[in-house]
Amino acid sequence: LNFVRFYLPLLIQKHEKVIYLDDDTIVQGDIQELYDTKLAPGHAAAFSDDCDLPSTHEMIRSVGMQNTYMGFLDYRKQAVRDLGISPSTCSFNPGVIVANMTEWKRQRITKQLEKWMQRNVEENLYSSTLGGGVATSPMLIVFHGKYSTINPMWHIRHLGWSPDTRYSEHFLQEAKLLHWNGRYKPWDYPSVHTDLWENWFIPDPSGKFKITRPDS
């Protein structure tokens, strides 16, 4: 399901503008504001830059997280160097996307993403750290220099990167959307800011899915 976002035009055919959210997010604001994100002419999508919030910078420094292309692409490979993208270029996080389906189809974005996935299979182009999983790297290539930006408060991320690093409670209350990207998910243990996530947790009526806590 990491690759569902590659195929948005195949899944949603009646709407020109689409929001994609990872399943480890919660929305605290009016999502109409996110939907109203302006996409520049010729842009198929809008993302959040990984260098856009001072609080994000602090989080990244504290846990040694990558927020540049160097963390996702293997610059020892000629095919990566041939892209002409500086390894210090700020990356973006595709866990929250506002997309224009007309432009997506016109630019054949899905085909481009598939091409870079296939090239990775053949040439192993992605960084061994895989900071954002294998779905992020091809998006960084295909959308480089060709995307609009989302209001930073609509994508507060890295909550799942470390079980020891927290944002301030005031900052999180102001946030419009929270994203537990990383391995420490809010339904598991250890994790951070689980109280915010549990406000929206609906128990599984079948009883198969249960949240994991120290006393469970």
Side-chain angles (χ1 to χ4, degrees), residues 183-192 194 197 211-213:
R183 61 178 292 193
Y184 299 101
K185 300 304 183 188
W187 53 82
D188 211 342
Y189 180 83
S191 55
V192 298
T194 53
W197 186 80
I211 58 176
T212 304
R213 295 293 181 259

Side-chain angles (χ1 to χ4, degrees), residues 12 28 59 92 113 130 135 177:
I12 303 170
Q28 299 190 134
M59 177 78 82
F92 59 79
L113 292 167
L130 285 179
L177 181 146

